[in-house]
Amino acid sequence: MCRYAMSSYKSHYACFACRKTFKRRLLEDILGGYSKGIQETPAKCPECGEIMADMGLDFEAPKKKDVNAWNHISNLYKVDITFHSCGCTGPGYIPNDTEALIKHLSRIKDTYLVHQHFWARRMSDPETQSEIARDKHQNGDFLYGIPIEMKKGTKNKPEYDAAKAQLYWNQKVVEIEKKIEIVNNTNAI
């Protein structure tokens, strides 16, 4: 059972400049439950007026004096790692320092490169049912790791667009390299 399913919780917002967090009232609480179709405005810091980062329900702020921890939380946010979850399993792996963050992003990049190389080497789709079954068994991670738009054919005779899949994974590699560069540049300052 999701711990957040039975009632509404306020998300934690962080201001990295002030090193403070706040919980924001939910729009449905303000409007008495009638918030469908209404878009929330970005949360602004009550102290400095800057837009705050939505860190999720599972966020625990470090002490205000811990500048290194706040810088690390800021780095996490810059590379899209936050503390959002449904409450069942938590937000997942959150690196606890910059070195661990770079290793984590590098492992993700390595996985993306493996997928990209798979699609670059794939010459054709299997023809017979036994080849298709073997392909699904041996290469399932690669075959199910691409968007549905790149899959055609039927269940018994699937077809995959290897060129588009290779471009898809190339774009993912570029995105993760940008994130690694952001973290490295932040540390250089």
Side-chain angles (χ1 to χ4, degrees), residues 60-117:
E60 288 185 29
K63 294 185 186 233
K64 186 173 181 172
K65 295 177 184 177
D66 194 353
V67 178
N68 289 336
W70 277 100
N71 289 339
H72 179 64
I73 300 277
S74 175
N75 280 343
L76 290 174
Y77 184 74
K78 287 175 188 173
V79 296
D80 301 324
I81 297 176
T82 57
F83 299 80
H84 289 90
S85 75
C86 68
C88 294
T89 58
Y93 174 67
I94 306 285
N96 58 1
D97 61 13
T98 305
E99 185 179 322
L101 176 58
I102 291 172
K103 284 182 183 177
H104 174 66
L105 294 173
S106 296
R107 280 192 299 269
I108 293 171
K109 178 184 171 186
D110 292 343
T111 301
Y112 291 171
L113 286 170
V114 168
H115 280 264
Q116 184 183 14
H117 292 303

Short mmCIF file of all heavy atoms in Angstrom, two decimals, residues 60-117:
data_model
loop_
_atom_site.label_atom_id
_atom_site.label_comp_id
_atom_site.label_asym_id
_atom_site.label_seq_id
_atom_site.Cartn_x
_atom_site.Cartn_y
_atom_site.Cartn_z
N GLU A 60 14.49 15.37 2.83
CA GLU A 60 14.85 15.85 4.17
C GLU A 60 16.00 16.84 3.99
O GLU A 60 17.07 16.49 3.50
CB GLU A 60 15.29 14.69 5.06
CG GLU A 60 14.16 13.79 5.48
CD GLU A 60 14.61 12.72 6.45
OE1 GLU A 60 15.58 12.95 7.20
OE2 GLU A 60 14.00 11.65 6.43
N ALA A 61 15.77 18.07 4.41
CA ALA A 61 16.76 19.12 4.21
C ALA A 61 17.93 18.98 5.17
O ALA A 61 17.74 18.62 6.33
CB ALA A 61 16.10 20.48 4.42
N PRO A 62 19.13 19.27 4.69
CA PRO A 62 20.27 19.31 5.60
C PRO A 62 20.19 20.58 6.46
O PRO A 62 19.39 21.47 6.20
CB PRO A 62 21.48 19.36 4.66
CG PRO A 62 20.95 19.86 3.36
CD PRO A 62 19.51 19.49 3.29
N LYS A 63 21.04 20.66 7.45
CA LYS A 63 21.07 21.86 8.29
C LYS A 63 21.53 23.04 7.45
O LYS A 63 22.32 22.89 6.52
CB LYS A 63 22.01 21.65 9.47
CG LYS A 63 21.49 20.59 10.41
CD LYS A 63 22.36 20.48 11.64
CE LYS A 63 21.86 19.30 12.43
NZ LYS A 63 21.56 19.50 13.75
N LYS A 64 21.07 24.21 7.81
CA LYS A 64 21.38 25.42 7.05
C LYS A 64 22.88 25.68 7.00
O LYS A 64 23.42 26.16 6.00
CB LYS A 64 20.65 26.62 7.65
CG LYS A 64 20.81 27.87 6.84
CD LYS A 64 19.97 29.00 7.36
CE LYS A 64 20.17 30.21 6.46
NZ LYS A 64 19.28 31.29 6.73
N LYS A 65 23.60 25.32 8.04
CA LYS A 65 25.04 25.57 8.11
C LYS A 65 25.85 24.63 7.22
O LYS A 65 26.99 24.92 6.90
CB LYS A 65 25.54 25.41 9.55
CG LYS A 65 24.97 26.43 10.50
CD LYS A 65 25.44 26.14 11.91
CE LYS A 65 24.80 27.10 12.90
NZ LYS A 65 25.18 26.80 14.29
N ASP A 66 25.26 23.51 6.81
CA ASP A 66 25.98 22.51 6.01
C ASP A 66 25.97 22.90 4.53
O ASP A 66 25.19 22.39 3.72
CB ASP A 66 25.35 21.14 6.22
CG ASP A 66 26.21 20.01 5.71
OD1 ASP A 66 27.24 20.29 5.06
OD2 ASP A 66 25.85 18.84 5.96
N VAL A 67 26.85 23.81 4.17
CA VAL A 67 26.91 24.36 2.81
C VAL A 67 27.22 23.27 1.79
O VAL A 67 26.64 23.25 0.69
CB VAL A 67 27.95 25.50 2.74
CG1 VAL A 67 28.06 26.04 1.32
CG2 VAL A 67 27.59 26.61 3.70
N ASN A 68 28.12 22.35 2.11
CA ASN A 68 28.47 21.27 1.18
C ASN A 68 27.27 20.40 0.85
O ASN A 68 27.07 20.01 -0.30
CB ASN A 68 29.61 20.42 1.74
CG ASN A 68 30.93 21.15 1.75
OD1 ASN A 68 31.13 22.08 0.98
ND2 ASN A 68 31.82 20.74 2.64
N ALA A 69 26.47 20.08 1.86
CA ALA A 69 25.27 19.26 1.63
C ALA A 69 24.27 20.01 0.75
O ALA A 69 23.67 19.42 -0.16
CB ALA A 69 24.63 18.87 2.95
N TRP A 70 24.12 21.31 0.98
CA TRP A 70 23.21 22.11 0.15
C TRP A 70 23.71 22.20 -1.29
O TRP A 70 22.92 22.14 -2.23
CB TRP A 70 23.00 23.50 0.75
CG TRP A 70 21.95 23.49 1.81
CD1 TRP A 70 22.15 23.46 3.15
CD2 TRP A 70 20.54 23.47 1.60
NE1 TRP A 70 20.94 23.43 3.80
CE2 TRP A 70 19.93 23.44 2.87
CE3 TRP A 70 19.72 23.48 0.48
CZ2 TRP A 70 18.56 23.42 3.04
CZ3 TRP A 70 18.35 23.46 0.64
CH2 TRP A 70 17.78 23.42 1.90
N ASN A 71 25.01 22.32 -1.47
CA ASN A 71 25.58 22.35 -2.82
C ASN A 71 25.34 21.02 -3.53
O ASN A 71 25.03 20.98 -4.73
CB ASN A 71 27.07 22.67 -2.79
CG ASN A 71 27.33 24.11 -2.41
OD1 ASN A 71 26.47 24.96 -2.55
ND2 ASN A 71 28.53 24.38 -1.92
N HIS A 72 25.46 19.92 -2.77
CA HIS A 72 25.22 18.60 -3.36
C HIS A 72 23.74 18.45 -3.75
O HIS A 72 23.43 17.95 -4.84
CB HIS A 72 25.64 17.50 -2.38
CG HIS A 72 25.38 16.14 -2.91
ND1 HIS A 72 26.02 15.63 -4.03
CD2 HIS A 72 24.52 15.17 -2.50
CE1 HIS A 72 25.57 14.42 -4.27
NE2 HIS A 72 24.65 14.12 -3.36
N ILE A 73 22.84 18.90 -2.88
CA ILE A 73 21.40 18.82 -3.19
C ILE A 73 21.11 19.66 -4.44
O ILE A 73 20.33 19.25 -5.30
CB ILE A 73 20.56 19.33 -1.99
CG1 ILE A 73 20.83 18.51 -0.75
CG2 ILE A 73 19.09 19.40 -2.33
CD1 ILE A 73 20.07 17.25 -0.61
N SER A 74 21.75 20.80 -4.56
CA SER A 74 21.58 21.64 -5.73
C SER A 74 22.06 20.91 -6.99
O SER A 74 21.42 20.96 -8.04
CB SER A 74 22.33 22.95 -5.54
OG SER A 74 22.28 23.73 -6.71
N ASN A 75 23.21 20.24 -6.89
CA ASN A 75 23.72 19.44 -8.02
C ASN A 75 22.74 18.34 -8.40
O ASN A 75 22.51 18.08 -9.58
CB ASN A 75 25.07 18.82 -7.68
CG ASN A 75 26.22 19.79 -7.82
OD1 ASN A 75 26.09 20.82 -8.47
ND2 ASN A 75 27.34 19.46 -7.22
N LEU A 76 22.17 17.67 -7.40
CA LEU A 76 21.19 16.62 -7.69
C LEU A 76 20.01 17.19 -8.47
O LEU A 76 19.56 16.60 -9.45
CB LEU A 76 20.70 15.99 -6.38
CG LEU A 76 21.69 15.13 -5.60
CD1 LEU A 76 21.08 14.70 -4.27
CD2 LEU A 76 22.11 13.92 -6.40
N TYR A 77 19.53 18.33 -8.02
CA TYR A 77 18.39 18.94 -8.69
C TYR A 77 18.73 19.34 -10.12
O TYR A 77 17.92 19.17 -11.03
CB TYR A 77 17.89 20.15 -7.90
CG TYR A 77 16.64 20.76 -8.48
CD1 TYR A 77 15.41 20.12 -8.35
CD2 TYR A 77 16.69 21.95 -9.20
CE1 TYR A 77 14.26 20.66 -8.89
CE2 TYR A 77 15.55 22.49 -9.74
CZ TYR A 77 14.34 21.85 -9.59
OH TYR A 77 13.21 22.39 -10.14
N LYS A 78 19.94 19.86 -10.34
CA LYS A 78 20.36 20.28 -11.68
C LYS A 78 20.39 19.12 -12.66
O LYS A 78 20.22 19.32 -13.87
CB LYS A 78 21.73 20.94 -11.62
CG LYS A 78 21.74 22.31 -11.00
CD LYS A 78 23.15 22.83 -10.88
CE LYS A 78 23.18 24.13 -10.09
NZ LYS A 78 24.57 24.57 -9.83
N VAL A 79 20.63 17.90 -12.16
CA VAL A 79 20.68 16.73 -13.04
C VAL A 79 19.41 15.87 -12.91
O VAL A 79 19.40 14.70 -13.22
CB VAL A 79 21.95 15.88 -12.81
CG1 VAL A 79 23.19 16.67 -13.18
CG2 VAL A 79 22.03 15.35 -11.40
N ASP A 80 18.34 16.50 -12.43
CA ASP A 80 17.00 15.88 -12.38
C ASP A 80 16.88 14.72 -11.41
O ASP A 80 16.10 13.79 -11.64
CB ASP A 80 16.55 15.44 -13.78
CG ASP A 80 16.51 16.58 -14.77
OD1 ASP A 80 16.16 17.70 -14.36
OD2 ASP A 80 16.84 16.37 -15.95
N ILE A 81 17.64 14.74 -10.33
CA ILE A 81 17.46 13.73 -9.29
C ILE A 81 16.78 14.42 -8.11
O ILE A 81 17.34 15.32 -7.49
CB ILE A 81 18.80 13.12 -8.85
CG1 ILE A 81 19.45 12.39 -10.02
CG2 ILE A 81 18.60 12.17 -7.67
CD1 ILE A 81 20.83 11.82 -9.73
N THR A 82 15.54 14.01 -7.84
CA THR A 82 14.77 14.56 -6.73
C THR A 82 14.23 13.43 -5.88
O THR A 82 14.51 12.27 -6.13
CB THR A 82 13.62 15.45 -7.26
OG1 THR A 82 12.79 14.67 -8.12
CG2 THR A 82 14.14 16.67 -8.01
N PHE A 83 13.42 13.78 -4.91
CA PHE A 83 12.94 12.81 -3.92
C PHE A 83 11.45 12.54 -4.12
O PHE A 83 10.70 12.44 -3.16
CB PHE A 83 13.22 13.35 -2.51
CG PHE A 83 14.69 13.55 -2.26
CD1 PHE A 83 15.36 14.67 -2.71
CD2 PHE A 83 15.42 12.59 -1.56
CE1 PHE A 83 16.71 14.84 -2.48
CE2 PHE A 83 16.77 12.76 -1.33
CZ PHE A 83 17.42 13.89 -1.79
N HIS A 84 11.03 12.40 -5.36
CA HIS A 84 9.64 12.11 -5.67
C HIS A 84 9.42 10.60 -5.68
O HIS A 84 10.27 9.85 -6.16
CB HIS A 84 9.25 12.67 -7.03
CG HIS A 84 9.16 14.15 -7.05
ND1 HIS A 84 10.22 14.96 -7.36
CD2 HIS A 84 8.12 14.98 -6.78
CE1 HIS A 84 9.85 16.22 -7.29
NE2 HIS A 84 8.59 16.27 -6.94
N SER A 85 8.31 10.17 -5.14
CA SER A 85 7.92 8.77 -5.20
C SER A 85 6.45 8.66 -4.86
O SER A 85 5.83 9.62 -4.40
CB SER A 85 8.74 7.92 -4.22
OG SER A 85 8.31 8.13 -2.90
N CYS A 86 5.90 7.48 -5.06
CA CYS A 86 4.51 7.25 -4.68
C CYS A 86 4.42 6.82 -3.22
O CYS A 86 3.34 6.73 -2.66
CB CYS A 86 3.87 6.22 -5.58
SG CYS A 86 4.54 4.56 -5.35
N GLY A 87 5.56 6.54 -2.62
CA GLY A 87 5.59 6.12 -1.23
C GLY A 87 5.82 4.63 -1.05
O GLY A 87 6.09 4.18 0.05
N CYS A 88 5.71 3.86 -2.12
CA CYS A 88 5.88 2.40 -2.00
C CYS A 88 7.33 2.01 -1.76
O CYS A 88 7.64 1.29 -0.83
CB CYS A 88 5.39 1.71 -3.26
SG CYS A 88 3.64 1.86 -3.56
N THR A 89 8.21 2.50 -2.62
CA THR A 89 9.60 2.07 -2.55
C THR A 89 10.57 3.20 -2.28
O THR A 89 11.76 2.98 -2.22
CB THR A 89 10.01 1.40 -3.87
OG1 THR A 89 9.80 2.33 -4.94
CG2 THR A 89 9.19 0.15 -4.13
N GLY A 90 10.08 4.40 -2.15
CA GLY A 90 10.96 5.54 -1.94
C GLY A 90 11.45 6.09 -3.26
O GLY A 90 11.10 5.59 -4.33
N PRO A 91 12.28 7.11 -3.22
CA PRO A 91 12.70 7.78 -4.46
C PRO A 91 13.78 7.05 -5.24
O PRO A 91 14.19 7.51 -6.30
CB PRO A 91 13.24 9.12 -3.95
CG PRO A 91 13.70 8.83 -2.56
CD PRO A 91 12.77 7.78 -2.03
N GLY A 92 14.27 5.94 -4.76
CA GLY A 92 15.33 5.22 -5.46
C GLY A 92 16.69 5.64 -4.96
O GLY A 92 16.83 6.30 -3.94
N TYR A 93 17.71 5.27 -5.71
CA TYR A 93 19.08 5.56 -5.30
C TYR A 93 19.36 7.06 -5.43
O TYR A 93 19.16 7.65 -6.49
CB TYR A 93 20.07 4.76 -6.15
CG TYR A 93 21.51 5.12 -5.88
CD1 TYR A 93 22.09 4.83 -4.65
CD2 TYR A 93 22.28 5.79 -6.82
CE1 TYR A 93 23.41 5.16 -4.39
CE2 TYR A 93 23.60 6.11 -6.57
CZ TYR A 93 24.16 5.80 -5.34
OH TYR A 93 25.45 6.15 -5.07
N ILE A 94 19.82 7.66 -4.36
CA ILE A 94 20.24 9.06 -4.35
C ILE A 94 21.70 9.08 -3.92
O ILE A 94 22.02 8.75 -2.78
CB ILE A 94 19.39 9.89 -3.36
CG1 ILE A 94 17.90 9.77 -3.62
CG2 ILE A 94 19.87 11.34 -3.37
CD1 ILE A 94 17.39 10.52 -4.82
N PRO A 95 22.62 9.46 -4.82
CA PRO A 95 24.03 9.53 -4.44
C PRO A 95 24.25 10.52 -3.30
O PRO A 95 23.64 11.58 -3.28
CB PRO A 95 24.72 10.01 -5.72
CG PRO A 95 23.77 9.72 -6.82
CD PRO A 95 22.41 9.80 -6.23
N ASN A 96 25.13 10.16 -2.35
CA ASN A 96 25.29 10.99 -1.16
C ASN A 96 26.42 12.01 -1.26
O ASN A 96 26.61 12.79 -0.34
CB ASN A 96 25.43 10.13 0.08
CG ASN A 96 26.61 9.18 -0.01
OD1 ASN A 96 27.31 9.18 -1.00
ND2 ASN A 96 26.79 8.37 1.00
N ASP A 97 27.20 11.99 -2.33
CA ASP A 97 28.21 13.03 -2.52
C ASP A 97 28.49 13.17 -4.02
O ASP A 97 27.98 12.41 -4.84
CB ASP A 97 29.49 12.75 -1.73
CG ASP A 97 30.18 11.45 -2.12
OD1 ASP A 97 29.85 10.87 -3.16
OD2 ASP A 97 31.08 11.03 -1.38
N THR A 98 29.28 14.16 -4.36
CA THR A 98 29.52 14.46 -5.77
C THR A 98 30.24 13.33 -6.48
O THR A 98 29.92 13.01 -7.63
CB THR A 98 30.34 15.76 -5.89
OG1 THR A 98 29.63 16.80 -5.19
CG2 THR A 98 30.52 16.18 -7.32
N GLU A 99 31.19 12.71 -5.82
CA GLU A 99 31.92 11.60 -6.42
C GLU A 99 30.97 10.45 -6.75
O GLU A 99 31.02 9.87 -7.84
CB GLU A 99 33.02 11.12 -5.47
CG GLU A 99 33.91 10.05 -6.06
CD GLU A 99 35.01 9.63 -5.08
OE1 GLU A 99 35.54 10.50 -4.37
OE2 GLU A 99 35.30 8.42 -5.06
N ALA A 100 30.08 10.12 -5.81
CA ALA A 100 29.09 9.06 -6.04
C ALA A 100 28.13 9.46 -7.16
O ALA A 100 27.70 8.60 -7.94
CB ALA A 100 28.34 8.75 -4.76
N LEU A 101 27.79 10.74 -7.23
CA LEU A 101 26.89 11.21 -8.28
C LEU A 101 27.52 11.05 -9.66
O LEU A 101 26.88 10.56 -10.60
CB LEU A 101 26.53 12.68 -8.04
CG LEU A 101 25.67 13.37 -9.10
CD1 LEU A 101 24.34 12.64 -9.29
CD2 LEU A 101 25.43 14.82 -8.71
N ILE A 102 28.79 11.40 -9.78
CA ILE A 102 29.48 11.25 -11.07
C ILE A 102 29.60 9.78 -11.44
O ILE A 102 29.39 9.40 -12.60
CB ILE A 102 30.85 11.96 -11.03
CG1 ILE A 102 30.64 13.48 -10.96
CG2 ILE A 102 31.70 11.58 -12.24
CD1 ILE A 102 31.89 14.29 -10.74
N LYS A 103 29.91 8.91 -10.47
CA LYS A 103 29.97 7.47 -10.75
C LYS A 103 28.61 6.94 -11.20
O LYS A 103 28.52 6.13 -12.12
CB LYS A 103 30.43 6.71 -9.51
CG LYS A 103 31.91 6.81 -9.23
CD LYS A 103 32.29 6.00 -8.02
CE LYS A 103 33.76 6.15 -7.68
NZ LYS A 103 34.13 5.42 -6.48
N HIS A 104 27.54 7.40 -10.53
CA HIS A 104 26.18 6.97 -10.86
C HIS A 104 25.83 7.39 -12.29
O HIS A 104 25.34 6.57 -13.08
CB HIS A 104 25.20 7.59 -9.86
CG HIS A 104 23.76 7.35 -10.16
ND1 HIS A 104 23.19 6.10 -10.12
CD2 HIS A 104 22.77 8.20 -10.53
CE1 HIS A 104 21.91 6.19 -10.43
NE2 HIS A 104 21.64 7.46 -10.69
N LEU A 105 26.10 8.64 -12.64
CA LEU A 105 25.82 9.11 -13.99
C LEU A 105 26.68 8.40 -15.02
O LEU A 105 26.22 8.10 -16.13
CB LEU A 105 26.02 10.63 -14.06
CG LEU A 105 25.04 11.47 -13.23
CD1 LEU A 105 25.45 12.94 -13.26
CD2 LEU A 105 23.61 11.29 -13.69
N SER A 106 27.92 8.09 -14.67
CA SER A 106 28.80 7.36 -15.59
C SER A 106 28.30 5.94 -15.83
O SER A 106 28.38 5.44 -16.97
CB SER A 106 30.23 7.33 -15.04
OG SER A 106 30.76 8.63 -14.97
N ARG A 107 27.79 5.29 -14.79
CA ARG A 107 27.22 3.94 -14.97
C ARG A 107 26.00 3.99 -15.89
O ARG A 107 25.82 3.12 -16.74
CB ARG A 107 26.84 3.33 -13.62
CG ARG A 107 28.00 2.75 -12.86
CD ARG A 107 27.56 1.89 -11.69
NE ARG A 107 26.79 2.63 -10.70
CZ ARG A 107 27.30 3.26 -9.64
NH1 ARG A 107 28.59 3.22 -9.43
NH2 ARG A 107 26.53 3.90 -8.80
N ILE A 108 25.17 5.02 -15.72
CA ILE A 108 24.02 5.18 -16.60
C ILE A 108 24.48 5.38 -18.04
O ILE A 108 23.95 4.77 -18.98
CB ILE A 108 23.13 6.35 -16.14
CG1 ILE A 108 22.47 6.02 -14.80
CG2 ILE A 108 22.06 6.68 -17.18
CD1 ILE A 108 21.76 7.18 -14.15
N LYS A 109 25.50 6.21 -18.23
CA LYS A 109 26.05 6.44 -19.57
C LYS A 109 26.57 5.15 -20.18
O LYS A 109 26.32 4.86 -21.36
CB LYS A 109 27.17 7.48 -19.50
CG LYS A 109 27.82 7.75 -20.84
CD LYS A 109 28.99 8.70 -20.70
CE LYS A 109 29.75 8.79 -22.00
NZ LYS A 109 30.96 9.59 -21.88
N ASP A 110 27.26 4.34 -19.39
CA ASP A 110 27.78 3.06 -19.89
C ASP A 110 26.65 2.15 -20.34
O ASP A 110 26.75 1.48 -21.38
CB ASP A 110 28.61 2.36 -18.81
CG ASP A 110 29.91 3.09 -18.51
OD1 ASP A 110 30.34 3.93 -19.33
OD2 ASP A 110 30.50 2.82 -17.43
N THR A 111 25.55 2.13 -19.60
CA THR A 111 24.39 1.33 -19.98
C THR A 111 23.81 1.83 -21.30
O THR A 111 23.47 1.04 -22.19
CB THR A 111 23.32 1.39 -18.88
OG1 THR A 111 23.88 0.91 -17.66
CG2 THR A 111 22.10 0.56 -19.24
N TYR A 112 23.70 3.15 -21.43
CA TYR A 112 23.18 3.73 -22.67
C TYR A 112 24.09 3.38 -23.86
O TYR A 112 23.60 3.09 -24.95
CB TYR A 112 23.06 5.25 -22.56
CG TYR A 112 22.00 5.74 -21.61
CD1 TYR A 112 21.91 7.09 -21.27
CD2 TYR A 112 21.06 4.89 -21.03
CE1 TYR A 112 20.94 7.56 -20.42
CE2 TYR A 112 20.09 5.35 -20.17
CZ TYR A 112 20.02 6.70 -19.87
OH TYR A 112 19.07 7.17 -19.02
N LEU A 113 25.40 3.40 -23.64
CA LEU A 113 26.34 3.07 -24.71
C LEU A 113 26.20 1.60 -25.14
O LEU A 113 26.28 1.29 -26.33
CB LEU A 113 27.78 3.36 -24.28
CG LEU A 113 28.17 4.82 -24.23
CD1 LEU A 113 29.52 4.99 -23.57
CD2 LEU A 113 28.16 5.44 -25.62
N VAL A 114 25.98 0.72 -24.18
CA VAL A 114 25.77 -0.70 -24.51
C VAL A 114 24.52 -0.84 -25.39
O VAL A 114 24.54 -1.57 -26.39
CB VAL A 114 25.65 -1.55 -23.22
CG1 VAL A 114 25.16 -2.95 -23.52
CG2 VAL A 114 26.98 -1.59 -22.50
N HIS A 115 23.44 -0.14 -25.03
CA HIS A 115 22.23 -0.18 -25.84
C HIS A 115 22.49 0.38 -27.24
O HIS A 115 22.04 -0.19 -28.24
CB HIS A 115 21.10 0.61 -25.16
CG HIS A 115 20.42 -0.15 -24.07
ND1 HIS A 115 19.27 -0.85 -24.27
CD2 HIS A 115 20.74 -0.31 -22.76
CE1 HIS A 115 18.89 -1.42 -23.13
NE2 HIS A 115 19.78 -1.10 -22.21
N GLN A 116 23.21 1.49 -27.30
CA GLN A 116 23.51 2.10 -28.59
C GLN A 116 24.33 1.16 -29.47
O GLN A 116 24.04 0.99 -30.66
CB GLN A 116 24.26 3.41 -28.38
CG GLN A 116 24.53 4.16 -29.66
CD GLN A 116 25.34 5.42 -29.44
OE1 GLN A 116 25.92 5.62 -28.38
NE2 GLN A 116 25.41 6.27 -30.45
N HIS A 117 25.33 0.50 -28.89
CA HIS A 117 26.16 -0.44 -29.66
C HIS A 117 25.35 -1.65 -30.12
O HIS A 117 25.57 -2.16 -31.22
CB HIS A 117 27.37 -0.88 -28.84
CG HIS A 117 28.36 0.22 -28.61
ND1 HIS A 117 28.94 0.94 -29.62
CD2 HIS A 117 28.86 0.73 -27.46
CE1 HIS A 117 29.75 1.83 -29.13
NE2 HIS A 117 29.72 1.75 -27.82
#
